[in-house]
Amino acid sequence: MRPRVVAESVLWVGSVDWERELFDELIPLPDGTSYNAYLVSGSERTALIDTVDPTKTDELRSMLDSLGLKKLDYLVAHHAEQDHSGSIPYVLERYPEARLVCTLKAKGLMVDLLGVAEDRIVTVADGETLSLGDLTLEFIHAPWVHWPETMLTYLRERRILFPCDLFGSHLATSDLFVRDPSRVYRGAKRYYAEIMMPFRTNIAKHLERLASYDIGIIAPSHGPLHDSPRFIIDAYRDWVSGPLSNKVVIPYVSMHGSTQVLVDRLISALSDLDIMAVPHRLSTGDTGRLAMELVDAPSVVLGTPTVLAGAHPLVAYAAVLANALRPRLQFASIVGSYGWGGKAVEQLLALVPNLKVEVLDPVIVKGYPREQDLTAIDGLAARIAEKHRGAGLKAA
Ligand code: FEO
């Protein structure tokens, strides 16, 4: 792709990764992603804001070649994760006069992860500004968006916020700006669930601080840009602290049908109580979708057979993932079956110390579920309904 105009003196010079299917070798990217870099040309100096994934350095090279950019004064690095920083060594080599601008915390990471020479780095304090002549960059430290070294940049004269990973979406698109809001909403929610949710307390503080800025454009590091920023700011407010939905997420595995019977009964019982059941079959499901469903869920019920005396490994994986993502869950339970014994419940509960949930009595049955087991499932659904009634939820 060619450089694209974001605003006067501001160009997008990033890379759209249509092919990427996994991020962090962990979570599927059904719609690809992009690595957004921006060139800001002031009357006296020029700054590049972030670079691209190292697999896309050639595309950045072509962009800079096409612009005939002979001199670069600053390379602003918001974040040391390689999807943005990976092409920094190339840029610093191409422009030997350029200084790398980052936080003090990022400096160490730039040296350790990328081998950047310390004398190429200039650190900036929170709120510090950098003049490019007629344009001013203001740096906003934003730890845990998504690493501790992260900062954002506000381009005052153009009212553009470059928020790094914040407000981003894993979405490959030829649209520079958001033109299909429902598609971008899904991509941004997936991104929030996978990357930002563990830091939602920090994110809430950053949202509060950003409310005092006059923002005309949000230019994140992934996905299309927002020229109507209210859309993504409101979505983030909702995901971080809005009311939860009246729903129960049910990640489960069934090997020989017993757990499936319990899950089916739970779905039916919850439906009868006007609670949305969201079953997620772990053996085939997309873990990104599971993460998205957890964003606004007050309750989760894990469904597991017993394998080698413990939970099915995929259910243990889901528990570990949920524990790491720290969704706003309030209630949890477990349903499942065993043949001759096991410790699945104890094992799964030990895997989720970060989840501050009230555990509702699990329903674990021996062999194929009988009528009394299904009645116990109805009882679990009724307890969930009772808890939800007191939890101030929005309608599902
Ligand atoms: Fe897009 Fe945390 O890197």
Side-chain angles (χ1 to χ4, degrees):
M1 294 178 81
R2 296 168 190 272
R4 303 182 74 176
V5 176
V6 175
E8 185 187 348
S9 312
V10 182
L11 295 174
W12 175 89
V13 290
S15 167
V16 178
D17 196 338
W18 304 92
E19 310 292 334
R20 189 151 184 179
E21 294 180 336
L22 271 183
F23 201 79
D24 290 342
E25 293 302 309
L26 176 66
I27 295 183
L29 301 184
D31 300 308
T33 191
S34 68
Y35 319 107
N36 297 332
Y38 303 94
L39 190 67
V40 182
S41 302
S43 56
E44 294 172 24
R45 287 170 287 278
T46 300
L48 178 65
I49 296 184
D50 286 323
T51 66
V52 299
D53 191 85
T55 59
K56 296 291 184 179
T57 302
D58 280 350
E59 289 189 24
L60 181 61
R61 176 186 292 122
S62 299
M63 290 274 184
L64 298 172
D65 286 350
S66 74
L67 292 168
L69 187 70
K70 296 278 186 285
K71 181 170 176 287
L72 181 72
D73 299 284
Y74 302 110
L75 170 50
V76 176
H78 284 144
H79 179 24
E81 192 166 15
Q82 288 84 344
D83 51 331
H84 312 293
S85 69
S87 299
I88 284 176
Y90 162 72
V91 174
L92 291 180
E93 189 182 344
R94 175 174 176 139
Y95 299 105
E97 72 288 357
R99 290 285 171 267
L100 184 69
V101 178
C102 63
T103 64
L104 183 59
K105 267 211 169 77
K107 181 177 179 179
L109 290 169
M110 295 296 169
V111 172
D112 293 341
L113 297 178
L114 300 161
V116 175
E118 289 198 36
D119 63 1
R120 299 293 302 271
I121 300 175
V122 177
T123 62
V124 287
D126 186 27
E128 194 171 332
T129 59
L130 182 64
S131 173
L132 304 180
D134 59 339
L135 298 177
T136 314
L137 302 179
E138 177 182 340
F139 303 111
I140 304 167
H141 286 204
W144 302 111
V145 178
H146 115 243
W147 286 3
E149 87 301 3
T150 312
M151 70 174 186
L152 328 178
T153 297
Y154 180 63
L155 177 55
R156 286 180 177 170
E157 293 78 5
R158 298 288 180 271
R159 299 165 53 236
I160 300 176
L161 177 72
F162 300 94
C164 190
D165 281 341
L166 189 67
F167 305 130
S169 51
H170 279 316
L171 180 60
T173 171
S174 55
D175 292 337
L176 180 63
F177 289 95
V178 173
R179 295 291 172 254
D180 182 351
S182 62
R183 185 162 180 247
V184 176
Y185 182 91
R186 284 194 302 279
K189 189 172 185 181
R190 174 180 284 266
Y191 192 86
Y192 170 82
E194 296 166 354
I195 307 291
M196 293 293 162
M197 189 158 63
F199 312 112
R200 59 191 157 74
T201 310
N202 299 75
I203 306 283
K205 288 182 195 146
H206 297 317
L207 291 177
E208 217 170 286
R209 181 173 178 191
L210 291 174
S212 64
Y213 285 79
D214 177 16
I215 299 170
I217 292 175
I218 288 179
S221 295
H222 297 283
L225 286 64
H226 298 271
D227 49 5
S228 299
R230 184 53 47 200
F231 160 70
I232 193 67
I233 292 172
D234 286 349
Y236 259 70
R237 287 224 169 91
D238 187 37
W239 298 333
V240 166
S241 56
L244 299 173
S245 296
N246 188 17
K247 72 177 186 182
V248 178
V249 180
I250 312 170
Y252 76 100
V253 169
S254 185
M255 290 162 61
H256 301 295
S258 298
T259 302
Q260 185 72 57
V261 169
L262 298 173
V263 167
D264 288 346
R265 181 65 168 235
L266 182 60
I267 294 167
S268 168
L270 290 170
S271 303
D272 289 346
L273 294 163
D274 285 331
I275 299 172
M276 180 193 280
V278 185
H280 184 88
R281 196 172 163 202
L282 291 162
S283 45
T284 53
D286 162 3
T287 44
R289 176 182 163 268
L290 173 59
M292 288 166 72
E293 292 294 353
L294 290 173
V295 168
D296 61 350
S299 296
V300 65
V301 176
L302 297 169
T304 184
T306 301
V307 182
L308 300 174
H312 190 287
L314 287 176
V315 183
Y317 169 76
V320 169
L321 187 68
N323 186 62
L325 295 179
R326 297 171 184 252
R328 298 162 62 199
L329 290 166
Q330 297 176 2
F331 311 104
S333 191
I334 301 167
V335 301
S337 72
Y338 66 96
W340 49 89
K343 296 276 184 194
V345 168
E346 295 87 333
Q347 182 195 29
L348 290 175
L349 293 180
L351 292 175
V352 292
N354 293 339
L355 301 184
K356 306 302 177 203
V357 290
E358 178 182 348
V359 178
L360 307 180
D361 286 346
V363 178
I364 304 298
V365 311
K366 188 170 191 308
Y368 197 80
R370 298 171 175 79
E371 199 49 44
Q372 69 267 26
D373 302 317
L374 300 179
T375 302
I377 291 288
D378 293 345
L380 173 60
R383 281 196 299 285
I384 291 171
E386 190 184 322
K387 296 293 180 186
H388 280 200
R389 273 196 290 278
L393 308 176
K394 67 182 169 192

